[in-house]
Amino acid sequence: MRLNQVSPKSGSKRRKRRVGRGISAGQGASCGFGMRGQKSRSGTGTKPGFEGGQMPLYRRIPKLKHFPLVNPSHYTTINVDKLASLPANSEVTLDSLKESGIVTSNDGPLKILGNGELDIALNVKAAAFTASARQKIEAAGGSCEVVDR
């Protein structure tokens, strides 16, 4: 078999429709597009998603609920039970946690979460605290100070 012997399967190819060739040809004058209106004009019709001037779906959607935040806040998070290994009355910041090896990467400002128990007093300086974390730190005799991001 050679390239010049290859042909499409019979019945798979059809003649292209020749429009605008007179009334007897079946698609004369308006070429099957009707008389007037937007869809009878030459060129493309409307862009995909156009709804006739109504606010299109792709612009309505972000107003609805349960869509992801555009600029979410990223925190370096740590639980209260990880702070229990620190010496009493020490100052806890993101830098001090990185030096002690408790935190290995800086993913943003420090946020203290409330999982676990704490029984030593610490002076914690962080960008954010959960309510349970603040309660556990202050119950152990420590202090919570919110610092700027």
Side-chain angles (χ1 to χ4, degrees), residues 42-109:
S42 65
T44 59
T46 57
K47 64 183 180 181
F50 183 70
E51 297 184 27
Q54 175 175 304
M55 184 64 69
L57 181 68
Y58 71 90
R59 290 189 59 195
R60 291 197 305 265
I61 288 296
K63 296 179 182 178
L64 304 177
K65 293 181 181 177
H66 312 299
F67 280 83
L69 294 173
V70 176
N71 295 314
S73 299
H74 296 286
Y75 289 102
T76 303
T77 57
I78 186 167
N79 279 304
V80 169
D81 59 354
K82 299 283 186 190
L83 303 178
S85 62
L86 295 171
N89 295 318
S90 60
E91 186 174 291
V92 179
T93 61
L94 182 57
D95 295 330
S96 68
L97 290 172
K98 282 184 79 173
E99 287 171 16
S100 64
I102 295 174
V103 171
T104 56
S105 64
N106 183 356
D107 298 329

Side-chain angles (χ1 to χ4, degrees), residues 111-113 124-131 133-134 137 143-146:
K111 182 173 183 174
I112 310 295
L113 307 178
V124 184
K125 294 184 178 179
F129 297 89
T130 60
R134 184 182 292 273
I137 292 169
S143 64
C144 298
E145 184 181 338
V146 177

